[in-house]
Amino acid sequence: MTPPILHNRQSWLLLLTGTYCVISVMMNYLCMKPLSFGTSFVWMDGGLLISWIVFLISNVIVEAYGKRTAIFVTGIAALLTLIISFLGLLEVYLPTRPQYTDQATHFAFIFSNGPRTILASAIAFFIGNWVNVSVIASLKAQQTASARNFWVRAVLSTIVGQIADNSLFQVLAFAPIGISRYEMLWTDIWTAVGMSSLFETIVEAFFVPLITIPLTTYITHLTNDDHI
């Protein structure tokens, strides 16, 4: 039984937006750990553990609330990610007591990759999700049978959006051009882009009929009458 507050569309939009923003911020830090799974190359970054949730939510929002609302939510999340990242970078340079030097060093390793990673994350996140929202909205406007299929729209938009997001972030943040502390080999970058996009698409395809479609259908049939 859902709480009464979740019986109107505005409440669901607030819940989805809040979840979207939290996941977006966490992705920015989980991505700092490359995942190799015991192989000699990087398969993906740690942000992939939760990044699929962002695309799932954006698909629900664009389907239930429209393209403009989805892009607005994406902009809020990108701005919040940028602000939190800069606050983390600022905290790296704030003093601490000598006995906490080790803790400060580990904190700095995660949060001090500099403006390069911060800007790369914000740019890639916004463009990738804008592409995702634009593709699913454009397909919805078409009159073909495949375009009317929500599962097809969600999966295709995720493929295009994830490739844009992952490519931009990996290249802008980690390309080995000698301007930041933490960089990756080109082979690892493109392997991570390919595997990340494939992984997120598979997960998205799996959860669309289980979560995305039922949730979107439920929200679409709600009203805006109740107060939040």
Side-chain angles (χ1 to χ4, degrees):
M1 181 177 179
T2 57
I5 196 173
L6 294 182
H7 289 168
N8 63 81
R9 288 166 56 83
Q10 297 100 320
S11 296
W12 271 105
L13 182 57
L14 284 176
L15 177 62
L16 292 171
T17 301
T19 305
Y20 189 95
C21 290
V22 170
I23 298 298
S24 302
V25 171
M26 284 302 302
M27 285 167 47
N28 201 43
Y29 301 114
L30 293 180
C31 73
M32 293 302 294
K33 181 175 181 178
L35 304 179
S36 64
F37 300 105
T39 64
S40 59
F41 56 90
V42 174
W43 287 74
M44 61 184 70
D45 63 69
L48 266 295
L49 297 177
I50 59 173
S51 61
W52 58 272
I53 302 176
V54 168
F55 281 81
L56 186 151
I57 293 176
S58 67
N59 289 339
V60 172
I61 293 176
V62 71
E63 192 75 9
Y65 299 94
K67 179 180 177 180
R68 291 183 62 183
T69 301
I71 292 178
F72 180 72
V73 171
T74 297
I76 293 175
L79 180 60
L80 181 62
T81 299
L82 192 63
I83 292 172
I84 296 298
S85 297
F86 274 114
L87 289 175
L89 181 62
L90 173 63
E91 190 169 341
V92 169
Y93 295 101
L94 295 178
T96 186
R97 299 186 66 186
Q99 55 264 47
Y100 300 118
T101 299
D102 288 343
Q103 179 179 339
T105 299
H106 293 301
F107 181 91
F109 192 80
I110 299 298
F111 289 88
S112 67
N113 205 40
R116 179 181 180 184
T117 301
I118 296 172
L119 293 175
S121 176
I123 292 171
F125 176 82
F126 181 79
I127 292 179
N129 282 271
W130 178 82
V131 169
N132 175 70
V133 168
S134 298
V135 170
I136 197 171
S138 297
L139 289 174
K140 185 178 181 180
Q142 297 180 16
Q143 299 301 316
T144 63
S146 60
R148 289 195 296 267
N149 188 308
F150 187 19
W151 186 89
V152 173
R153 294 201 305 274
V155 172
L156 288 178
S157 65
T158 296
I159 293 174
V160 180
Q162 289 290 2
I163 291 176
D165 186 346
N166 292 323
S167 298
L168 280 170
F169 176 72
Q170 294 289 341
V171 172
L172 293 176
F174 305 130
I177 54 179
I179 63 173
S180 61
R181 178 178 179 181
Y182 173 58
E183 296 182 335
M184 295 171 60
L185 300 173
W186 280 112
T187 53
D188 287 337
I189 286 176
W190 294 120
T191 301
V193 169
M195 294 305 300
S196 297
S197 302
L198 177 62
F199 171 79
E200 289 168 316
T201 300
I202 291 174
V203 173
E204 174 83 2
F206 176 78
F207 281 111
V208 163
L210 297 180
I211 298 178
T212 311
I213 293 177
L215 182 57
T216 302
T217 302
Y218 176 75
I219 293 174
T220 302
H221 289 85
L222 293 177
T223 66
N224 295 321
D225 296 335
D226 296 332
H227 294 291
I228 297 175

